Amino acid sequence: MKVLISVDMEGISGVVHASETHPERYDYERGRALMTAEANAVIAGVLDAEPAADVWVADAHGPFRNLLPEELDRRALLVRGKPRPLGMLGGLDERTDAVMFVGYHARAGAGPGVIAHTMSGDVLDVRVGGRSLGEIGLNAALAGHMGVPVVLLSGDDVACAEFEEVVPSAVTVAVKESLAGAAAVTLHPEVARERLREAAAEAVGRRTRVAPLVLEPPLVVEVDLYSPASVDLATLVPGVSRAEGGRTVTFTAADFAEAHRLVLLLVQLASIRPT
């Protein structure tokens, strides 16, 4: 069997502030070490349950170059760098039997989630069929489009609750309790890793009982952007139009793979500053 572990950074135990997740900011090196250690705990749990499993790890935070390759469990393959197909789920394919989300965070506006956002600070919300989806829901739906269940999520308690709304039968591990956007009560990293290893083994065993998240097409997607200039750029993309209000663009996708690609493109366009 093949398992893909997608690892973000904001939901790692001990991480509470954006400065700890940015390559040029304070304490980033500690953050990436903690991130790598939690990835290793999940790899170990998967292999405890299925010693012959093919384990892939997708670095899924920011530049996608955070996990320390030399410190990662040598039994896993690392998907690193961007841009790449499928974004945070790089490495997902028809051979994948299960996906796990490690270190994930809540969607934009989901207070008091720790460092809650949706892909970037330039995006205020993404709605598919009127349903607000953050990175948790968007990536779960992308896996579901390929028929693959997401069987585990770790992060703060707000992220776990968000995941349980879209995949109620999966396993969650709350490694911290959010107090505010940049404050939490966190487990000791070693305790978090112990729980993650146990949960990963459990999730592998439950994979056939977790249904993939499938959103039926056609899909009407709305994206709220922070900057009016970003809306102007977005409307240059064929099929994307301005919705009512000054910050929203919309498009209709034939399937979720198409929807996901366009959302990723709009996020990148939103990062462009007008000259």
Side-chain angles (χ1 to χ4, degrees):
M1 68 172 295
K2 176 181 174 180
V3 177
L4 175 66
I5 304 168
S6 174
V7 191
D8 206 347
M9 200 170 189
E10 291 87 351
I12 297 296
S13 177
V15 173
V16 298
H17 194 278
S19 65
E20 299 170 313
T21 69
H22 193 288
E24 297 178 359
R25 302 281 181 83
Y26 168 75
D27 240 6
Y28 169 71
E29 290 304 322
R30 175 182 283 123
R32 68 194 304 212
L34 292 170
M35 179 188 184
T36 305
E38 288 201 3
N40 282 338
V42 175
I43 295 168
V46 170
L47 294 173
D48 287 344
E50 292 284 346
D54 187 14
V55 182
W56 291 42
V57 178
D59 191 322
H61 173 72
F64 295 175
R65 290 181 286 109
N66 311 277
L67 291 166
L68 299 167
E70 66 275 17
E71 299 296 333
L72 195 70
D73 191 316
R74 63 185 296 169
R75 297 172 293 178
L77 294 175
L78 175 61
V79 183
R80 192 169 191 261
K82 70 188 305 185
R84 68 190 186 208
L86 308 182
M88 295 174 73
L89 295 189
L92 179 71
D93 59 22
E94 66 282 352
R95 299 183 299 113
T96 308
D97 297 289
V99 172
M100 298 181 177
F101 294 164
V102 177
Y104 268 54
H105 54 80
R107 67 180 181 271
V114 174
I115 325 177
H117 65 280
T118 298
M119 296 191 173
S120 85
D122 298 307
V123 177
L124 300 176
D125 193 20
V126 177
R127 294 178 298 282
V128 181
R131 182 181 190 178
S132 180
L133 296 176
E135 292 167 34
I136 291 171
L138 292 169
N139 286 316
L142 180 59
H145 171 73
M146 299 184 70
V148 183
V150 181
V151 298
L152 170 75
L153 176 135
S154 72
D156 68 12
D157 56 323
V158 181
C160 289
E162 184 176 321
F163 181 62
E164 289 166 356
E165 289 180 1
V166 294
V167 190
S169 54
V171 178
T172 59
V173 181
V175 299
K176 53 194 170 190
E177 179 183 354
S178 176
L179 298 176
V185 179
T186 80
L187 296 177
H188 188 283
E190 291 181 0
V191 174
R193 293 168 207 157
E194 291 168 0
R195 295 186 184 181
L196 284 167
R197 183 168 183 166
E198 293 173 359
E202 177 188 355
V204 168
R206 291 175 53 178
R207 67 187 182 277
T208 59
R209 289 175 278 164
V210 179
L213 175 63
V214 178
L215 303 181
E216 296 296 338
L219 302 170
V220 177
V221 182
E222 299 168 285
V223 181
D224 295 344
L225 299 169
Y226 177 79
S227 168
S230 298
V231 174
D232 295 338
L233 281 174
T235 58
L236 298 177
V237 178
V240 177
S241 60
R242 191 187 306 266
E244 290 186 9
R247 297 182 184 272
T248 304
V249 296
T250 185
F251 63 88
T252 300
D255 57 35
F256 197 81
E258 178 182 313
H260 188 266
R261 286 195 300 271
L262 263 176
V263 169
L264 290 184
L265 176 59
L266 294 180
V267 171
Q268 291 304 309
L269 287 176
S271 69
I272 299 174
R273 300 293 180 261
T275 57

